Amino acid sequence: MTLQQRLSSLGFQLTAGFLGLVLLFAGAGLYAVGAFQRQLAYDALVEIAGRLELAAEQIHAQAMNYEQNAPRDYPTYYRDVRLYYHDLTTHVATFDQVVDAFMKGDFSHEVPTPLPWMMPRLGSGVTLAIRDLEQTWEGWRGALFEAIGEDTEEPRLEWAAEHVIAEHAVLGDATATLTQALRDWTASEYRKVVQGALALAVVVALVAVALLIVLHYRVLAPLRRTIAGFQRVADGDFGHRTPVEGSTEIRDLTGSFNRLSVRLDLLHQLIRRLQQGSDLDELLGFLSREFRDLLGFDWIGVVFIDDARANAHVETGWLDGSPQPSDRRLYRLQGTLLESALADAAPLHVADAITRVRENPAYEFLGHLVALGMRDAIFLPLTAQTQTPVPAVVVFATRRPEGFDTARRRLLGNIAQLLTQAFGRTARFAEQGR
């Protein structure tokens, strides 16, 4: 089978279509999983930004509370160092961690994902908001620790509270801008996910429809026409031919049906010709013209046996569709393949005629065929069972070595009885006329 036949075969097309659908569904599944994972990551980033806003508000609230309730003695001051200063540094550490994650684009600690390609890729608006927050936080944090001082045992908490209250709006605006940018970006990405899912669904539907169309025009429609052809032949239209189209298997089926139809039509014509009555030359001419390609012969003739069963002669013969001149030469019968075929009353296949003639010079008639260029032959005996007055043999010969292959020998064997009956009747008429 050639590459084109394999590509057009039904098995290949169905396999390719099935694999295509599987790949599409697998891609759709991976896309859905990735979109779901990224949406979770988007929501987590918005939540992280919201935590920054909350932390900024808590820092501001604690600073206002500290300013309103400033300590008046050392025990109260050291209590605030343990509480307020600890909370303040905790919030600062949270800001440091989140801002650093945003700047590096590494959210693995905050948003665990199974695969790297599922990590979110931030938009340009979010990137600008992150840079603005990073610059704001860097300045705000530096001023805070400058106000606190280098002495971590006795930090200047009142100065720190004043800085927090004075610069709260700057830090709050930066965190709010980042949160809003993340929300807008998340909404945009969600719309893209919905559009991608709809586009993927449309592609899957189109591929499925395309496969159905291909299945209809390449398989179902040709198969229906072939079935209709079967019905026409079953109704008696033996000459009907169905167009060869569709997939390789359907084309093979249609080709086999057409060959069957041709053979049925030829056999129908042969039977009709026999019913109408034909002389021997007319019957051989019909077979030579109509059955030559089907049976694969180049020469066809009828050999009569004399009353003494000693000799044989060619009553009539046709070569390449044309009648041969009358030949009344006598050929030896005893000890030849003609005698064997008559004795067995069964078709005899004579392969490698040249070697047979070289091995046995008594095969005079076979030598005559070899002289005509024949290399392979089949002897079909006509005996008393076919109601011939004298025995006769119908001979099919071809120039091609091993030209009568298994399929042609099987076909000839299947129609042998019909041919022998036909030739027996015609040969009887010919002998009576002679």
Side-chain angles (χ1 to χ4, degrees), residues 150-171:
E150 298 181 358
D151 189 358
T152 58
E153 298 296 330
E154 295 184 358
R156 297 193 292 264
L157 298 181
E158 187 174 355
W159 290 14
E162 292 176 355
H163 167 72
V164 170
I165 295 172
E167 300 295 329
H168 166 67
V170 176
L171 184 61

Side-chain angles (χ1 to χ4, degrees), residues 1 9 20 58 70 73 79 88 143 165 196 209 225 239 250 268 284 336 338 345 362 389 431:
M1 182 181 294
S9 67
Q58 289 177 344
D73 50 32
R79 181 202 62 190
L88 182 61
I165 295 172
V209 171
R225 285 190 285 270
I250 301 300
H268 177 68
L284 284 181
T336 64
L338 289 172
E431 179 65 16

Side-chain angles (χ1 to χ4, degrees), residues 184-203:
D184 295 341
W185 172 66
T186 300
S188 175
E189 291 298 313
Y190 177 75
R191 288 192 296 270
K192 292 180 181 179
V193 169
V194 172
Q195 294 172 358
L198 291 176
L200 195 57
V202 170
V203 170

